[in-house]
Every structure is written in C-alpha cells, then in structure tokens.
Amino acid sequence: MVDRMAGHTADSGAAPTVVIHGGNLHEAAERYGIPYAQWLDLSTGINPHGYPVPPVPADAWRRLPDEGDGFAACAAHYYGAPDAAHVLPVAGSQAAIRALPSLLPRAQVGIAPLTYSEYAPAFERAGHQAAPLDVTWDTLPETFTHVVVVNPNNPTAEHLSAGKLLHWHAQLRARGGSLLVDEAFADTMPAASLAANTHRDGLIVLRSPGKFFGLAGVRAGFVLGAPPLLDALGRTLGAWTVSGPARHAVKAAFEDTAWQQQTRTRLAAESARLVSLLHAHGLAARSTPLFAWTDDARAAAVHEALARRGVWTRLFAASGSVRFGLPASEAEWARLGAGLREAVR
C-alpha cells in the first residue's frame, strides 16, 4: 500500500508499474484487521460535501449518450475555454492520461518527481523518456520536448502562476513540443486556470469534476486543447465515452453557480481548519482547499499510527510524506483530532 512511482520504459521488458491511489480502503481494512465500515477515509482529495445531483431522467438510462446535447459547450462555459470545439469530454481524465502520450512525438518529458503518479508510467509506455522537472526553473532544459504539470500539484499543493506556465509553453512550442497542465484541483481557484489559452497549439489542459464537485464516481473529465489534437484523441477513445447519467450530473453541477460559490467558501474555511489542526500537533503543512500535505520527518509514522486507529491517510513512501483529505462531519473532525493526539508524541 505504498506509492510505487518508479516506472519502466516501454521496451524495458520489466513488469508494468503498479500505481497505488488513495481510496484503496478495502486493502487497508484487510491489512489492519479493521472492518471497512469502521474506517475514516481521508486518503483522497475529493470534496466530502459532494454536489447534490438532481434525479436522473429516465431517458438518460435508456438511450445512448447524445453528442448533440450541449455537454461540451456547457463545459467550455464553466471552464472558460474558447468554445466547444476546444473541449473533449472523456471517461475521467484518467482515460486521457493513458491515451494522450501516444499522440505526441516521442521525446523527453519533464515531470516533477512527486506528483500524480500515473503520468511517468503512461508516457514511458508510449515510448517517451521521463525526466525530473524542477518547478523552480525559469528556462527548461533543451532536452525537454514535453512537460507535464499538475497545478495545483497533487500532493505537494504547489501552485505555478499562469505567466510561468505560458513562458514554459512558449519554449516547448518552439521545439515542436507540448505543455500538459492537469488542473484536477483548480476549481477552487478558477482565475488561475489556463483554460482560456487552449486555442494555442501545444497547450493541453485536463479538467475533472470529480474533486471539487465530489463526483469522482461518475468518471467524467475533459481535455481542453486545439481541435486537431482533440479530434485525434476522440478517434482513439471512441464514441460514448461519458454516460448519459454522468452527463446529466455534471451539467447540473456546472450550471449551479450558487452551489459553486458557497462550496468554494466552505472548502477554504475547512482547509484552513485542517492546516490549523495539523499545526497544533506540530506538523507543518501546505494545502489546497481540498487537501493538506506534510513532509514532516514523522509523517510516515503518523500515517501508520492513524491507520492502526482506523484513520486512513495517503502515504507517499518514496518521500515519506502524507496527504490528508477533509473530514465530512464534526464527528470525523473529532476523530481525526483524537487520532492525531495519540499518534503525535
């Protein structure tokens, strides 16, 4: 149950990389001998106060998804993309992460050593060479043709400015390369998104309603970029990638601006509360409104101690760091606080 991020190149002949994600609660229950229902799961960065999806129309179950239902246009409006032609709905951004590398020229791709762990294996399977990216660089190494940035980063919560990212994009584009920006956690800071710039060739933005809206189970996501690339990706993924019920749920969420505003305010307050709680127990942390992360020297021991008490956090074993999601209720906040008091000595 650790984060095995070290990938293998596509032609290495080694066994495929196993990527471990948060939410693997059944494995935790088996390992620690605590029944599944008794766990407090804080291992993901998913909003615990998910969007209240209205009843699904019967036609959404009976009919194939209708590509003319305005779903892409709705997403373009919500994300601030140029228009519907620059948006491709997909079955979760995970589908795009797996498929996009094969559509880009094989080359060296810069990826931060500690970021969403699917990227390096996906690019290496497609014949690219992954290399460490230092986010403090102003000028990218000449060997980099592509760069992947998760912004804000999962799990470290680092955030790069739009200006810096566009500067990197200009460097990469001059080499015939691409900048892929994963904005899965950017709904809490919409003004920082690069969605409006996706008319630029070589700039690809991935978005997901799963985190902010708490709709991870619908498996819907969006790729924003130039139409020729989206057309190629669409042909690769095939038809009907997003189900009718999922389209209904996400469209309702995108159109509910009052809920979005209230939720951004609520998440900001709860994130500050989480950071304060960790600080109170001597754990320095960085955060987004959806999770907090600590690389304190005791972090791995705290993860283990909490797990023995039925509180599941996300351990990144290679760095010895831990990510905490938000509790959903006062009872869960109290349980986390009690667990930290016992875990941090």
Side-chain angles (χ1 to χ4, degrees):
M1 257 174 278
V2 296
D3 187 45
R4 298 189 283 272
M5 288 183 58
H8 300 287
T9 57
D11 58 355
S12 67
T17 299
V18 178
V19 180
I20 305 300
H21 298 288
N24 52 337
L25 202 54
H26 283 289
E27 296 176 33
E30 181 178 352
R31 176 177 175 180
Y32 292 94
I34 300 172
Y36 181 91
Q38 295 179 19
W39 282 85
L40 169 57
D41 186 9
L42 304 179
S43 69
T44 75
I46 297 168
N47 181 0
H49 317 293
Y51 182 72
V53 177
V56 179
D59 279 354
W61 299 106
R62 290 196 297 261
R63 296 182 177 179
L64 288 170
D66 182 358
E67 301 292 342
D69 63 357
F71 189 48
C74 180
H77 177 75
Y78 172 72
Y79 289 126
D83 54 41
H86 290 79
V87 177
L88 178 68
V90 295
S93 54
Q94 187 66 38
I97 292 170
R98 293 292 184 109
L100 276 168
S102 66
L103 302 178
L104 302 177
R106 275 43 169 189
Q108 189 173 80
V109 53
I111 303 174
L114 183 54
T115 192
Y116 185 56
S117 52
E118 288 279 357
Y119 280 106
F123 272 88
E124 290 181 332
R125 279 193 301 270
H128 299 267
Q129 178 190 4
L133 170 70
D134 186 334
V135 297
T136 66
W137 289 335
D138 181 63
T139 301
L140 295 169
E142 293 183 1
T143 56
F144 283 11
T145 300
H146 311 297
V147 163
V148 172
V149 175
V150 180
N151 200 45
N153 190 40
N154 171 25
T156 67
E158 290 174 302
H159 176 255
L160 302 184
S161 70
K164 183 183 186 77
L165 291 173
L166 291 175
H167 178 55
W168 279 1
H169 168 259
Q171 295 174 49
L172 295 168
R173 197 60 200 152
R175 306 167 191 175
S178 300
L179 174 66
L180 192 161
V181 184
D182 185 331
E183 296 183 345
F185 291 94
D187 295 71
T188 57
M189 49 183 76
S193 173
L194 289 186
N197 294 277
T198 50
H199 61 284
R200 305 184 187 209
D201 288 339
L203 178 59
I204 308 162
V205 173
L206 302 188
R207 299 299 299 253
S208 170
K211 306 298 191 298
F212 174 69
F213 290 100
L215 294 176
V218 304
R219 304 313 305 140
F222 301 89
V223 183
L224 283 56
L229 176 66
L230 299 189
D231 290 344
L233 180 58
R235 290 192 297 271
T236 298
L237 296 176
W240 310 307
T241 58
V242 181
S243 72
R247 298 168 87 94
H248 167 76
V250 174
K251 195 172 181 181
F254 282 175
E255 293 173 346
D256 195 339
T257 55
W259 185 92
Q260 294 160 23
Q261 182 176 356
Q262 293 166 3
T263 299
R264 289 188 182 103
T265 300
R266 179 178 191 174
L267 291 176
E270 293 190 355
S271 173
R273 180 179 179 179
L274 179 58
V275 170
S276 179
L277 179 61
L278 294 173
H279 284 179
H281 291 87
L283 299 171
R286 292 205 298 263
S287 68
T288 76
L290 285 164
F291 64 83
W293 174 80
T294 179
D295 60 353
D296 186 281
R298 300 162 294 171
V302 169
H303 165 83
E304 180 68 19
L306 288 173
R308 291 196 299 268
R309 294 164 174 81
V311 179
W312 193 230
T313 57
R314 175 68 192 279
L315 172 66
F316 297 86
S319 63
S321 61
V322 174
R323 186 186 65 199
F324 294 77
L326 295 173
S329 65
E330 286 302 319
E332 291 189 0
W333 280 102
R335 185 173 174 186
L336 174 59
L340 287 170
R341 284 193 295 274
E342 296 171 357
V344 183
R345 302 292 184 180

